[in-house]
Amino acid sequence: MLQVQFLRENIDRVMTGLAKRNFKETALVHQAIEKDDARKKIQFELDQNLSEMNKISKEIGMLMKEGKKEEAEQAKQKTASYKESIQQLQQHLKDTETELQNILYQIPNIPSEAVKAGISADDNENIYQSTEVEGMDENALPHWELAKKYNLIDFELGVKIAGAGFPVYLGKGARLQRALVQYFLDKNTDAGYLEVNPPHVVNEASGYGTGQLPDKEGQMYFINEDNLYLIPTAEVPVTNIYRDTIIEEKNLPIKNTAFSQCYRREAGSYGAHVRGLNRLHQFEKVEIVRIEKPENSYAALEEMKAHVQSILEDLELPYRILRLCGGDMGFTSALTYDFEVWSAAQQKWLEVSSVSNFENFQANRLKCRYKGNEGKAQPVHTLNGSAMALPRIMAALLENNQTENGIKIPKKLAQYTRFEIID
């Protein structure tokens, strides 16, 4: 969340950044400043009333000591009027603060200077590609046909149990899923990330803390009876570990990794591009989260990018790295790198990871700060990335490694699957 003071002091930068995002509701910035002006005016009037009431209360005490009961009673009548005014002003202040907060919740983060303006994915920058990609012969099968051929995934059974977008993994398909999760976690912990096992549901405060609410409320599964949300990613519960926390500078950086199921309604998703594993309502993902001092966050982002890149190298998949344009970035991000792997049978790129720096946008919402040697608490920077999401990794592994004799398993992964081929 952007702070009002930041909006006031950086109005030109804010407007330029929102234009990069192709964000149309720029009037919200002025509304926030105007609402804060109103808040300050109410606060000033409230402070004056409280001061006057305090003054009268002291006078009553003095009058009572001096035996001037009649004058003291007259003064008490004045305090009754002030009490009523103070109660009204306090409620008005509370309502105005809530209205200001709701306006600020609707304003997205300001992109980094490195982010280019743009409207859609077509405007993203391709900053690295591992290899030239080639098609496969006309007999190459997409992953949903390979899954059926080798009895790895049953999509119809998932429909029977829950509905479309909830596949059932079987046999070597289930083992391959489990192997990927364990490999990702080992890779992350070897890089210094502390593994945590968080809840798969969060409360409303957690959703607001990391920016899923109110921005993506319609995309989250909601448990009405308990006022809880199923998590769309482990980023939400892991980052909220540090909500309402002051971290000692010596404890930074914080590096966490977590495996979880992820639940997304994906409302409005349909068509051939979401077939098979391309888009699911429930899927598995391993996440990395970092809490950093502001001056170190972009170096940390590059380190995270290199880490995800090393995973794709281990999996022997053709991949590319995109720096997202302003119009394609998430609401909370200041800079995002997307990783895509090539699907040889489908002849297209599939997104498998996003690595983002949120700067202090989430920290302001979370009230997550750190205290340096000078003793002053200030917001941290938060970062997160997928390391990695499984469905499209699984799709690419099946499609790119199919042979006449079966599906080959990459050498690094075979140490976890304990089989080298699916036949």
Side-chain angles (χ1 to χ4, degrees), residues 170-218:
L170 305 166
K172 286 188 175 181
R175 286 174 62 185
L176 180 55
Q177 281 277 103
R178 177 159 49 90
L180 282 165
V181 170
Q182 190 61 61
Y183 161 68
F184 294 152
L185 286 171
D186 285 352
K187 184 84 173 178
N188 296 343
T189 54
D190 287 348
Y193 290 86
L194 175 69
E195 183 179 351
V196 297
N197 190 346
H200 291 187
V201 295
V202 293
N203 56 28
E204 188 176 69
S206 294
Y208 275 95
T210 45
Q212 279 69 34
L213 297 176
D215 181 54
K216 293 212 168 29
E217 185 166 9

XYZ file of all heavy atoms in Angstrom, residues 170-218:
373
model
N -1.798 -40.397 -10.560
C -1.751 -41.833 -10.294
C -0.347 -42.394 -10.521
O 0.390 -41.901 -11.396
C -2.727 -42.572 -11.223
C -4.194 -42.123 -11.208
C -4.932 -42.701 -12.403
C -4.861 -42.534 -9.908
N 0.018 -43.422 -9.765
C 1.239 -44.169 -10.018
C 2.469 -43.301 -10.180
O 2.802 -42.489 -9.309
N 3.149 -43.465 -11.326
C 4.363 -42.694 -11.566
C 4.084 -41.199 -11.724
O 4.963 -40.371 -11.501
C 5.097 -43.234 -12.799
C 5.814 -44.560 -12.535
C 6.682 -44.972 -13.708
C 7.478 -46.244 -13.364
N 8.353 -46.668 -14.478
N 2.846 -40.851 -12.082
C 2.469 -39.444 -12.131
C 2.496 -38.820 -10.744
O 3.016 -37.720 -10.537
N 1.941 -39.540 -9.753
C 1.953 -39.068 -8.367
C 3.372 -39.038 -7.821
O 3.756 -38.114 -7.101
C 1.070 -39.967 -7.501
N 4.165 -40.047 -8.161
C 5.551 -40.096 -7.686
C 6.378 -38.966 -8.293
O 7.240 -38.382 -7.629
C 6.165 -41.449 -8.012
C 5.644 -42.579 -7.116
C 6.165 -43.935 -7.545
N 7.622 -44.024 -7.446
C 8.327 -45.072 -7.856
N 7.703 -46.112 -8.403
N 9.634 -45.090 -7.713
N 6.119 -38.651 -9.565
C 6.825 -37.545 -10.210
C 6.474 -36.222 -9.536
O 7.360 -35.378 -9.294
C 6.468 -37.498 -11.695
C 7.129 -36.391 -12.530
C 8.649 -36.425 -12.408
C 6.699 -36.505 -13.995
N 5.204 -36.030 -9.188
C 4.787 -34.835 -8.446
C 5.541 -34.732 -7.121
O 6.083 -33.683 -6.763
C 3.280 -34.896 -8.163
C 2.396 -34.526 -9.310
C 2.214 -33.033 -9.447
O 2.824 -32.410 -10.305
N 1.394 -32.455 -8.616
N 5.547 -35.832 -6.377
C 6.203 -35.849 -5.068
C 7.702 -35.590 -5.199
O 8.297 -34.878 -4.386
C 5.929 -37.192 -4.382
C 6.608 -37.386 -3.038
C 5.900 -38.467 -2.222
N 5.650 -39.679 -2.964
C 6.492 -40.710 -3.035
N 7.666 -40.650 -2.420
N 6.163 -41.800 -3.709
N 8.299 -36.161 -6.246
C 9.735 -35.967 -6.476
C 10.054 -34.501 -6.780
O 11.051 -33.950 -6.291
C 10.202 -36.855 -7.625
N 9.214 -33.870 -7.569
C 9.423 -32.455 -7.898
C 9.358 -31.587 -6.640
O 10.199 -30.709 -6.435
C 8.383 -31.989 -8.918
C 8.626 -32.403 -10.370
C 7.364 -32.198 -11.208
C 9.788 -31.600 -10.969
N 8.356 -31.841 -5.803
C 8.223 -31.070 -4.560
C 9.466 -31.225 -3.694
O 10.032 -30.242 -3.198
C 6.965 -31.512 -3.780
C 6.957 -30.892 -2.382
C 5.699 -31.126 -4.531
N 9.909 -32.466 -3.508
C 11.069 -32.702 -2.646
C 12.330 -32.092 -3.236
O 13.147 -31.510 -2.510
C 11.269 -34.208 -2.436
C 12.309 -34.530 -1.362
C 11.921 -33.981 -0.004
O 10.892 -34.345 0.544
N 12.738 -33.078 0.534
N 12.486 -32.217 -4.555
C 13.654 -31.611 -5.211
C 13.657 -30.091 -5.028
O 14.681 -29.491 -4.686
C 13.676 -31.969 -6.694
C 14.541 -31.041 -7.506
C 15.932 -31.029 -7.355
C 13.959 -30.134 -8.383
C 16.717 -30.150 -8.071
C 14.738 -29.248 -9.106
C 16.116 -29.264 -8.945
O 16.890 -28.366 -9.644
N 12.498 -29.447 -5.259
C 12.418 -27.988 -5.113
C 12.748 -27.554 -3.686
O 13.496 -26.596 -3.468
C 11.022 -27.480 -5.491
C 10.663 -27.645 -6.948
C 9.340 -27.797 -7.338
C 11.641 -27.656 -7.926
C 8.996 -27.953 -8.667
C 11.316 -27.809 -9.270
C 9.984 -27.963 -9.637
N 12.191 -28.257 -2.701
C 12.451 -27.901 -1.300
C 13.930 -28.084 -0.956
O 14.530 -27.229 -0.293
C 11.578 -28.741 -0.368
C 10.095 -28.376 -0.307
C 9.328 -29.420 0.488
C 9.883 -26.987 0.292
N 14.516 -29.185 -1.394
C 15.944 -29.411 -1.123
C 16.800 -28.337 -1.781
O 17.758 -27.834 -1.187
C 16.369 -30.797 -1.627
C 15.869 -31.932 -0.734
O 15.327 -31.631 0.349
O 16.032 -33.097 -1.121
N 16.462 -28.004 -2.999
C 17.208 -26.964 -3.724
C 17.132 -25.634 -2.979
O 18.127 -24.917 -2.835
C 16.630 -26.813 -5.129
C 17.372 -25.844 -6.031
C 18.557 -26.490 -6.699
C 19.169 -25.540 -7.728
N 20.364 -26.119 -8.386
N 15.965 -25.319 -2.464
C 15.774 -24.049 -1.760
C 16.474 -24.035 -0.403
O 17.110 -23.043 -0.033
C 14.282 -23.760 -1.586
C 13.568 -23.568 -2.905
O 14.192 -23.346 -3.942
N 12.248 -23.657 -2.895
N 16.338 -25.120 0.347
C 16.980 -25.145 1.665
C 18.504 -25.169 1.532
O 19.203 -24.583 2.347
C 16.500 -26.355 2.489
O 16.694 -27.560 1.742
C 15.031 -26.211 2.855
N 19.018 -25.805 0.476
C 20.462 -25.785 0.229
C 20.952 -24.366 -0.069
O 22.121 -24.045 0.159
C 20.823 -26.704 -0.941
C 20.728 -28.177 -0.586
O 20.607 -28.488 0.621
O 20.750 -29.014 -1.509
N 20.044 -23.523 -0.564
C 20.389 -22.129 -0.863
C 20.161 -21.209 0.334
O 20.258 -19.985 0.210
C 19.578 -21.633 -2.064
N 19.846 -21.786 1.503
C 19.730 -20.984 2.716
C 18.330 -20.572 3.098
O 18.143 -19.772 4.022
N 17.313 -21.118 2.437
C 15.927 -20.801 2.784
C 15.443 -21.748 3.884
O 15.613 -22.968 3.787
C 15.014 -20.927 1.560
C 15.236 -19.856 0.522
C 16.209 -20.003 -0.467
C 14.484 -18.686 0.532
C 16.425 -19.022 -1.421
C 14.694 -17.687 -0.417
C 15.666 -17.868 -1.393
O 15.876 -16.878 -2.331
N 14.847 -21.183 4.916
C 14.294 -21.976 6.013
C 12.927 -22.507 5.613
O 12.026 -21.725 5.257
C 14.166 -21.109 7.266
C 13.492 -21.773 8.476
C 14.393 -22.863 9.057
C 13.146 -20.730 9.534
N 12.748 -23.825 5.689
C 11.467 -24.408 5.327
C 10.441 -24.192 6.432
O 10.725 -24.384 7.615
C 11.613 -25.906 5.052
C 10.310 -26.554 4.588
C 10.452 -28.033 4.279
O 11.597 -28.538 4.259
O 9.408 -28.685 4.051
N 9.249 -23.761 6.034
C 8.125 -23.620 6.960
C 6.925 -24.355 6.358
O 6.824 -24.509 5.136
C 7.764 -22.146 7.246
C 8.898 -21.423 7.921
C 7.379 -21.414 5.960
N 6.025 -24.798 7.212
C 4.825 -25.500 6.778
C 3.620 -24.710 7.279
O 3.190 -24.885 8.415
C 4.823 -26.927 7.339
C 3.721 -27.781 6.726
O 2.811 -27.267 6.091
N 3.803 -29.086 6.933
N 3.076 -23.804 6.452
C 2.046 -22.877 6.928
C 0.637 -23.439 6.770
O 0.426 -24.449 6.081
C 2.246 -21.677 5.995
C 2.630 -22.327 4.690
C 3.466 -23.534 5.061
N -0.364 -22.790 7.367
C -1.762 -23.167 7.120
C -2.121 -22.943 5.651
O -1.512 -22.112 4.966
C -2.554 -22.209 8.017
C -1.567 -21.698 9.011
C -0.243 -21.694 8.328
N -3.131 -23.684 5.185
C -3.613 -23.513 3.812
C -4.858 -22.634 3.764
O -5.475 -22.498 2.700
C -3.891 -24.868 3.169
C -2.643 -25.657 2.896
N -2.638 -26.834 2.193
C -1.344 -25.416 3.222
C -1.395 -27.302 2.107
N -0.602 -26.459 2.736
N -5.230 -22.066 4.892
C -6.305 -21.072 4.946
C -5.774 -19.843 5.680
O -4.889 -19.948 6.524
C -7.572 -21.605 5.654
C -8.195 -22.737 4.871
C -7.263 -22.030 7.076
N -6.337 -18.676 5.318
C -5.926 -17.429 5.971
C -7.157 -16.598 6.300
O -8.218 -16.751 5.676
C -4.964 -16.593 5.087
C -3.628 -17.296 4.914
C -5.592 -16.276 3.726
N -6.995 -15.716 7.271
C -8.085 -14.809 7.619
C -8.035 -13.568 6.727
O -7.123 -13.385 5.920
C -8.051 -14.444 9.098
C -6.714 -13.853 9.523
O -5.987 -13.246 8.728
N -6.355 -14.040 10.789
N -9.029 -12.711 6.896
C -9.158 -11.522 6.059
C -7.949 -10.597 6.211
O -7.453 -10.038 5.226
C -10.448 -10.782 6.417
C -10.788 -9.626 5.486
C -12.122 -8.993 5.850
O -12.215 -8.353 6.920
O -13.071 -9.156 5.058
N -7.458 -10.435 7.433
C -6.316 -9.551 7.670
C -5.090 -10.004 6.893
O -4.337 -9.172 6.367
C -5.997 -9.495 9.165
N -4.898 -11.307 6.784
C -3.768 -11.834 6.020
C -3.932 -11.554 4.535
O -2.961 -11.238 3.839
C -3.623 -13.338 6.265
O -3.277 -13.602 7.607
N -5.170 -11.699 4.037
C -5.430 -11.402 2.630
C -5.151 -9.952 2.291
O -4.575 -9.641 1.242
N -5.537 -9.047 3.196
C -5.247 -7.625 2.983
C -3.753 -7.342 3.142
O -3.199 -6.492 2.456
C -6.055 -6.763 3.960
C -7.445 -6.444 3.476
C -8.533 -7.220 3.856
C -7.682 -5.366 2.626
C -9.813 -6.943 3.397
C -8.953 -5.072 2.169
C -10.022 -5.859 2.557
O -11.278 -5.576 2.091
N -3.102 -8.083 4.035
C -1.696 -7.831 4.318
C -0.796 -7.998 3.116
O 0.137 -7.213 2.915
N -1.052 -9.015 2.298
C -0.200 -9.259 1.133
C -0.815 -8.773 -0.172
O -0.219 -8.919 -1.233
C 0.139 -10.755 1.013
O -1.031 -11.535 1.228
C 1.206 -11.151 2.020
N -2.019 -8.201 -0.116
C -2.582 -7.540 -1.285
C -3.530 -8.375 -2.123
O -3.979 -7.919 -3.170
N -3.859 -9.603 -1.682
C -4.851 -10.386 -2.424
C -6.245 -9.773 -2.259
O -7.077 -9.869 -3.162
C -4.870 -11.842 -1.935
C -3.769 -12.715 -2.519
C -2.395 -12.337 -2.026
O -2.224 -11.919 -0.883
N -1.394 -12.468 -2.879
N -6.478 -9.160 -1.112
C -7.729 -8.454 -0.863
C -7.455 -6.949 -0.814
O -6.419 -6.532 -0.318
C -8.343 -8.905 0.474
C -8.749 -10.382 0.567
C -9.250 -10.687 1.975
C -9.808 -10.735 -0.453
N -8.344 -6.146 -1.397
C -9.572 -6.559 -2.082
C -9.358 -6.884 -3.571
O -10.299 -7.231 -4.266
C -10.452 -5.320 -1.936
C -9.481 -4.176 -1.982
C -8.237 -4.673 -1.282
N -8.113 -6.798 -4.057
C -7.846 -6.882 -5.495
C -8.330 -8.185 -6.120
O -8.879 -8.182 -7.212
C -6.335 -6.707 -5.739
C -5.971 -6.755 -7.212
O -6.576 -5.982 -7.984
O -5.108 -7.555 -7.589
N -8.104 -9.335 -5.449
C -8.424 -10.618 -6.063
C -9.467 -11.396 -5.258
O -9.459 -12.625 -5.241
C -7.145 -11.452 -6.188
C -6.154 -10.844 -7.172
C -5.346 -11.870 -7.863
C -4.547 -11.331 -9.047
N -4.131 -9.945 -8.971
N -10.351 -10.682 -4.619
C -11.346 -11.336 -3.762
C -12.176 -12.354 -4.540
O -12.448 -13.445 -4.065
C -12.260 -10.288 -3.120
C -13.236 -10.872 -2.133
C -13.893 -9.810 -1.269
O -13.716 -8.614 -1.559
O -14.574 -10.187 -0.304
N -12.572 -12.025 -5.769
C -13.406 -12.922 -6.554
C -12.686 -14.149 -7.055
O -13.327 -15.106 -7.512
